[in-house]
Amino acid sequence: MSSSVAGPDCCGGLGNIDFKQADLCVMTWLLGYMNPWDSSLVAAALTIAFNPLFWNVVARWEQKTRQLSRAFGSPYLACYSLGGVILLLNVLRSHCFTQAMLRQPKMEGLDNPAAFCLGLVLLGVGTLFVLSSFFALGFTGTFLGDYFGILKEARVTTFPFNIVDNPMYWGSTANYLGWAVLHASPTGLLLTVMVALVYMVAVLYEEPFTAEIYRQKASRSHRRS
């Protein structure tokens, strides 16, 4: 389904906007033109929620038990294998995201050349953050190597980490937002909000744990010296 729709003037025009109701107005508009029970939309929402949950649960289990490292005979091989699974899950998430957008109506206000250019810019920025994060961290650093005992000498602070915390997550979010804007998709915008919220929860869950891993490493190094 790819028809375009115009939103209702539920905020009373630019001169009479009730800002207390603006967010509710926008959400009502977005949801009013979507079928929330469409299978592609449900699949996209499930993959968005599942992926960070999966890799955090598996990584913490590995950090506590070292079961994956023992099963694969090496923490590096175990980390590479988990990274491969995460990549496949992210491909599935992107596929479900795209299918959900294509099966829902477009937003007329975004179906124009200026919005298309904005979408390209967002994709460019997002891709820059994702790729530069990957090159700064390496494969094991990107895919939870610290949970496997594969630690760097210190936490990375070079670009893009000197610009924003967790650039991999926010770069990915920018990519989804750009993809949604390119397709003039209210469904894509709503799913991008979900991506951002899930990543925010993941950051709250991951950062203290990762910081503690490196604190323990620094403490051990200090005692040895």
Side-chain angles (χ1 to χ4, degrees), residues 3-4 14-15 17-18 25 32 53 90 140 143 152 166 190 200:
S3 59
S4 296
L14 290 177
I17 293 177
D18 182 350
C25 171
L53 176 64
N90 286 343
T140 57
F143 294 105
K152 293 185 173 295
N166 305 291
L190 191 62
M200 289 172 66

Side-chain angles (χ1 to χ4, degrees), residues 117-195:
C117 291
L118 175 61
L120 290 177
V121 170
L122 288 167
L123 280 172
V125 171
T127 301
L128 174 64
F129 275 9
V130 169
L131 291 180
S132 59
S133 297
F134 180 81
F135 288 125
L137 293 172
F139 190 94
T140 57
T142 300
F143 294 105
L144 306 164
D146 41 7
Y147 290 77
F148 291 80
I150 307 169
L151 303 180
K152 293 185 173 295
E153 290 301 316
R155 300 193 73 173
V156 176
T157 57
T158 56
F159 181 84
F161 294 89
N162 59 347
I163 301 296
V164 62
D165 290 334
N166 305 291
M168 183 72 73
Y169 282 170
W170 304 128
S172 176
T173 302
N175 282 337
Y176 281 117
L177 179 58
W179 196 233
V181 173
L182 279 177
H183 286 81
S185 172
T187 300
L189 295 178
L190 191 62
L191 290 173
T192 300
V193 171
M194 185 177 179
V195 169

Side-chain angles (χ1 to χ4, degrees), residues 2-173:
S2 59
S3 59
S4 296
V5 295
D9 187 16
C10 60
C11 294
L14 290 177
N16 300 298
I17 293 177
D18 182 350
F19 288 100
K20 293 181 180 179
Q21 298 181 5
D23 289 342
L24 179 61
C25 171
V26 171
M27 292 304 294
T28 302
W29 177 38
L30 290 175
L31 293 171
Y33 289 106
M34 289 188 288
N35 173 14
W37 304 115
D38 182 87
S39 59
S40 63
L41 183 58
V42 173
L46 287 176
T47 55
I48 289 169
F50 174 77
N51 286 11
L53 176 64
F54 167 79
W55 70 61
N56 272 287
V57 169
V58 172
R60 288 215 177 187
W61 173 69
E62 162 63 16
Q63 197 272 336
K64 290 178 181 179
T65 68
R66 297 295 185 227
Q67 290 291 335
L68 285 177
S69 294
R70 283 197 285 268
F72 285 93
S74 162
Y76 286 90
L77 185 55
C79 183
Y80 296 147
S81 299
L82 177 61
V85 172
I86 292 172
L87 285 172
L88 290 175
L89 287 173
N90 286 343
V91 169
L92 176 62
R93 178 179 61 183
S94 297
H95 172 75
C96 292
F97 186 101
T98 301
Q99 291 303 306
M101 289 196 305
L102 295 178
R103 289 169 61 98
Q104 301 281 347
K106 288 186 176 182
M107 181 189 295
E108 276 190 0
L110 286 178
D111 199 8
N112 58 70
F116 187 85
C117 291
L118 175 61
L120 290 177
V121 170
L122 288 167
L123 280 172
V125 171
T127 301
L128 174 64
F129 275 9
V130 169
L131 291 180
S132 59
S133 297
F134 180 81
F135 288 125
L137 293 172
F139 190 94
T140 57
T142 300
F143 294 105
L144 306 164
D146 41 7
Y147 290 77
F148 291 80
I150 307 169
L151 303 180
K152 293 185 173 295
E153 290 301 316
R155 300 193 73 173
V156 176
T157 57
T158 56
F159 181 84
F161 294 89
N162 59 347
I163 301 296
V164 62
D165 290 334
N166 305 291
M168 183 72 73
Y169 282 170
W170 304 128
S172 176
T173 302

